[in-house]
Amino acid sequence: MYKIMLPSLWLALATGCIIVEERGVSSPDGPDRGLCAGDRDCDGLSDDDELRFPGCDGDDPDSDDDGLLDGEEVDQGTDPGDADTDDDGLDDGAEGDAGTDPTDPDCDDDGLLDGDEASGGTDPLDPDTDGDGADDGTETDRGTDPLDPDTDGDGLPDGDELDAGADPLDPDTDGDGLTDGAEADRGLDPTNPDSDHDGSPDGEELDAGTDPLDGDSDGDGLSDGEEREHGCDPLVADSDGDGLSDGEEVEIGCDPTLADSDGDGLSDAEEVEIGCDPTNPDTDGGSVGDGEEVDRGSDPLDPSDDVDEPVDTGTPSTGGGPGGPGEPVDTALDTGATADTGLDSTARPGAGGADDEEAERIRARGSCGCDATAVGPAGALGLLFLPWLVRRRRR
């Protein structure tokens, strides 16, 4: 709209010229052109300046359609001809709404672009959205969920697992039967199935009641794993109750599950105490067991006292005599005196009647009147009474 100003009217009448002055008048459908002189689109950027930025349109206040006027973009350092100045996947206008920096593609320096965080649900202004100790970018690279602090649900935050070398996607990284979180709570190593190196996995130790941080829970000299191999109780130092610890028994070759390893009637500890071999039932090799010797009072370390004195049974010997096998054994005892039989040594058979017959019978049985092969200690005593017996019979 053009208006003729009154002062100009008087001048026109005087000079015959009309001066017309252009004034901006606001339009309900557009900017006040009178306030945007030299800026056709009234975007805060003069028409001349718009020519300096590729992609700018002097007739379009938001040349890149990013939600920001071209003049605003120039003021904040973004490119009015590029909707995403920092190429982070988030338009410059959207970054303004989110509070991020449209000139910084990763405002929180977590390794994820602001646009990726905005589309993935993480916070582009917080490097660790779920607060698990691992940056959102790290979690994305490792396959964990940057919105879940414990992706594998093992009770150990993803960041702690990564720091410990555990797998944040495997609840039991070392496969010992305990979750990584349970191991961390007990001070165990979630990357080592046998934290105390005793040969027994941590999970099995907890099930058995042993200490997965102590290689020898009962202190008997055998590791918990070795006790399992021998069938011992890893919580009892002397599994068989024989007085020797399991470790001592294994060291000397005994069975730590048997109180009497060699079955000789003496416990392993009793044998060790008296110097016997607990793995040998007859330590001295004398044919009598150690337990039997102790019971009867003989020495289980001396073989000479293992055999009893021979007993005279009156039975003829079947062994060989001085002449070798099959020769008769002379068992007659030398008493140092000749037995007085009271008989005439010159008497002939039949000459003396009854006396001769008696003498003949005695000779047939031996001079002592008994079986010559059966003379023993009792026979020697009988020789002392032989003369008296003969005289009594003759009377």
Side-chain angles (χ1 to χ4, degrees):
M1 179 180 292
Y2 299 92
K3 291 183 178 180
I4 299 176
M5 306 302 294
L6 289 178
S8 299
L9 179 59
W10 294 109
L11 179 61
L13 292 174
T15 60
C17 295
I18 298 177
I19 299 174
V20 180
E21 181 179 357
E22 183 179 358
R23 291 292 181 89
V25 178
S26 296
S27 169
D29 299 326
D32 186 348
R33 298 296 178 181
L35 299 177
C36 303
D39 180 7
R40 295 193 308 273
D41 55 11
C42 204
D43 59 1
L45 189 63
S46 69
D47 296 336
D48 291 338
D49 287 339
E50 295 218 36
L51 295 176
R52 293 171 38 230
F53 295 95
C56 279
D57 183 351
D59 295 316
D60 186 349
D62 181 10
S63 299
D64 55 11
D65 297 321
D66 61 1
L68 293 177
L69 294 176
D70 296 344
E72 291 177 328
E73 294 211 55
V74 171
D75 289 342
Q76 70 179 10
T78 57
D79 184 350
D82 185 350
D84 182 8
T85 300
D86 56 9
D87 295 320
D88 61 359
L90 200 60
D91 285 349
D92 297 339
E95 294 214 52
D97 295 338
T100 57
D101 184 350
T103 64
D104 184 351
D106 182 9
C107 288
D108 55 10
D109 298 319
D110 61 0
L112 286 181
L113 296 175
D114 296 340
D116 292 339
E117 294 212 55
S119 61
T122 55
D123 187 348
L125 294 173
D126 185 349
D128 182 10
T129 301
D130 57 11
D132 60 0
D135 287 348
D136 297 339
T138 300
E139 294 211 57
T140 300
D141 292 341
R142 295 296 300 266
T144 56
D145 186 350
L147 295 174
D148 184 350
D150 182 12
T151 302
D152 57 9
D154 60 1
L156 194 62
D158 297 339
D160 292 343
E161 294 209 54
L162 291 175
D163 291 341
D167 185 349
L169 294 173
D170 185 348
D172 182 9
T173 299
D174 55 13
D176 61 0
L178 294 177
T179 64
D180 297 339
E183 295 208 55
D185 291 342
R186 291 174 171 81
L188 303 175
D189 184 351
T191 66
N192 185 348
D194 183 11
S195 296
D196 56 10
H197 305 287
D198 62 359
S200 186
D202 297 338
E204 292 184 12
E205 291 213 54
L206 287 180
D207 290 341
T210 55
D211 186 350
L213 289 173
D214 186 347
D216 181 7
S217 296
D218 56 11
D220 61 0
L222 289 181
S223 71
D224 297 339
E226 290 174 325
E227 298 218 45
R228 286 162 45 88
E229 292 175 2
H230 289 284
C232 299
D233 186 343
L235 294 173
V236 178
D238 181 9
S239 296
D240 56 14
D242 62 358
L244 292 178
S245 71
D246 298 340
E248 291 174 320
E249 294 208 53
V250 170
E251 185 176 355
I252 62 177
C254 291
D255 185 342
T257 65
L258 291 177
D260 180 8
S261 296
D262 56 10
D264 61 1
L266 294 177
S267 72
D268 296 339
E270 289 174 327
E271 296 211 53
V272 170
E273 183 177 354
I274 63 177
C276 290
D277 181 353
T279 66
N280 184 351
D282 182 13
T283 300
D284 60 13
S287 76
V288 178
D290 298 339
E292 184 178 346
E293 290 210 58
V294 170
D295 288 343
R296 73 181 191 178
S298 60
D299 185 355
L301 300 176
D302 182 3
S304 66
D305 62 2
D306 284 19
V307 182
D308 292 331
E309 291 295 330
V311 178
D312 180 13
T313 62
T315 303
S317 173
T318 59
E327 293 294 325
V329 179
D330 184 8
T331 58
L333 299 179
D334 185 6
T335 62
T338 302
D340 182 8
T341 62
L343 299 178
D344 184 359
S345 61
T346 61
R348 298 183 303 275
D355 291 343
D356 292 340
E357 292 177 1
E358 180 69 9
E360 200 65 41
R361 185 174 63 82
I362 291 174
R363 289 190 189 95
R365 292 179 57 85
S367 61
C368 63
C370 59
D371 189 344
T373 64
V375 176
L381 183 61
L383 290 176
L384 299 177
F385 293 95
L386 183 60
W388 179 79
L389 290 172
V390 172
R391 292 189 188 98
R392 180 177 179 82
R393 290 176 64 114
R394 293 178 63 182
R395 293 194 188 101

